[in-house]
Amino acid sequence: AQSVTQLDSHVSVSEGTPVLLRCNYSSSYSPSLFWYVQHPNKGLQLLLKYTSAATLVKGINGFEAEFKKSETSFHLTKPSAHMSDAAEYFCVVTDNTGKLIFGQGTTLQVKP
Amino acid sequence: ETGVTQSPTHLIKTRGQQVTLRCSSQSGHNTVSWYQQALGQGPQFIFQYYREEENGRGNFPPRFSGLQFPNYSSELNVNALELDDSALYLCASSRGLAGGMSGANVLTFGAGSRLTVL
């Protein structure tokens, strides 16, 4: 069965410093992995997706993630945090029926 | 292109009542999925509709049911509401079955309907 574990429930960074949000996955086959962001009162927005092409995936707003099969990880990074990045972030894996399996979420706080 | 729209945005019901939530899919999308997001949790898959038929269901009881219409819009119905049904209900649409092995069919989510059961 597929699952994801987000290793931090809350991450706090200062504006302009790097962001690292950690995600480990479990899958019985080569997974499709995603990162979604959820701002208050807004729908989930896709940041990036990995679908067995390049292992380093670039997304919107300067975010990127690296698929590491040996470590079963798909961590999300950004070189420099912006105040507008404060939100809830979800790591997601799909199963072969089209169902999305979400992690518990990581709240990113960005301090001025 | 229009995005996914959901209605109502907020509603309050009492235990035992029934509720219907509505979703209009993004233009060009023919598949709708519904997710339940409890406070402080990640969304959980309820079911997916493709060509007006249920195509995949999560671990939810039969009192959670849905419909998809010929214009690809959808409804989520919940009967005999329980306190634990209080959550944000998210609708998402895609062109073709969502996710899958290639992950090619990405979901577009609506802002959700927040249901409070008293």
Side-chain angles (χ1 to χ4, degrees):
Chain A
Q2 283 64 249
S3 67
V4 290
T5 302
Q6 293 185 242
L7 300 174
D8 307 289
S9 60
H10 188 100
V11 170
S12 181
V13 301
S14 297
E15 189 175 21
T17 64
V19 175
L20 170 63
L21 305 184
R22 300 182 296 163
C23 172
N24 286 351
Y25 71 90
S26 173
S27 178
S28 54
Y29 53 82
S30 294
S32 294
L33 292 160
F34 307 79
W35 277 97
Y36 278 85
V37 62
Q38 187 175 38
H39 288 94
N41 301 318
K42 293 195 175 179
L44 288 157
Q45 182 183 20
L46 179 69
L47 282 177
L48 49 81
K49 66 177 182 178
Y50 166 77
T51 56
S52 75
T55 56
L56 182 62
V57 182
K58 293 189 182 299
I60 62 171
N61 301 335
F63 285 94
E64 63 181 37
E66 186 172 9
F67 174 73
K68 292 187 176 181
K69 186 175 181 179
S70 61
E71 299 176 10
T72 62
S73 68
F74 190 58
H75 301 335
L76 181 71
T77 60
K78 182 174 181 177
S80 176
H82 191 274
M83 294 298 292
S84 61
D85 295 328
E88 190 79 12
Y89 291 79
F90 292 97
C91 182
V92 181
V93 66
T94 63
D95 69 9
N96 58 359
T97 69
K99 169 183 167 182
L100 297 190
I101 301 164
F102 284 77
Q104 292 284 78
T106 298
T107 302
L108 176 63
Q109 179 187 23
V110 182
K111 297 176 290 186
Chain B
E1 67 185 8
T2 58
V4 176
T5 57
Q6 294 186 241
S7 62
T9 54
H10 295 80
L11 69 167
I12 300 173
K13 293 285 188 178
T14 57
R15 200 168 41 179
Q17 286 188 311
Q18 179 266 343
V19 68
T20 297
L21 308 178
R22 296 179 174 82
C23 172
S24 293
S25 58
Q26 181 170 306
S27 176
H29 287 186
N30 59 8
T31 304
V32 173
S33 304
W34 286 91
Y35 287 78
Q36 181 197 63
Q37 185 177 16
L39 197 62
Q41 304 292 318
Q44 292 197 10
F45 176 74
I46 303 175
F47 41 55
Q48 177 176 236
Y49 276 83
Y50 176 65
R51 294 183 175 177
E52 302 179 48
E53 292 192 0
E54 186 179 293
N55 185 295
R57 186 179 184 93
N59 188 25
F60 282 82
R63 60 190 184 84
F64 285 77
S65 64
L67 286 171
Q68 186 181 32
F69 300 100
N71 66 354
Y72 308 125
S73 66
S74 178
E75 287 182 355
L76 165 65
N77 298 288
V78 187
N79 294 322
L81 284 167
E82 301 177 359
L83 298 180
D84 285 349
D85 295 333
S86 295
L88 181 67
Y89 288 85
L90 296 165
C91 173
S93 70
S94 59
R95 186 176 292 118
L97 292 172
M101 296 294 285
S102 70
N105 297 327
V106 175
L107 297 185
T108 300
F109 282 85
S113 294
R114 185 165 297 281
L115 171 64
T116 302
V117 182
L118 302 177

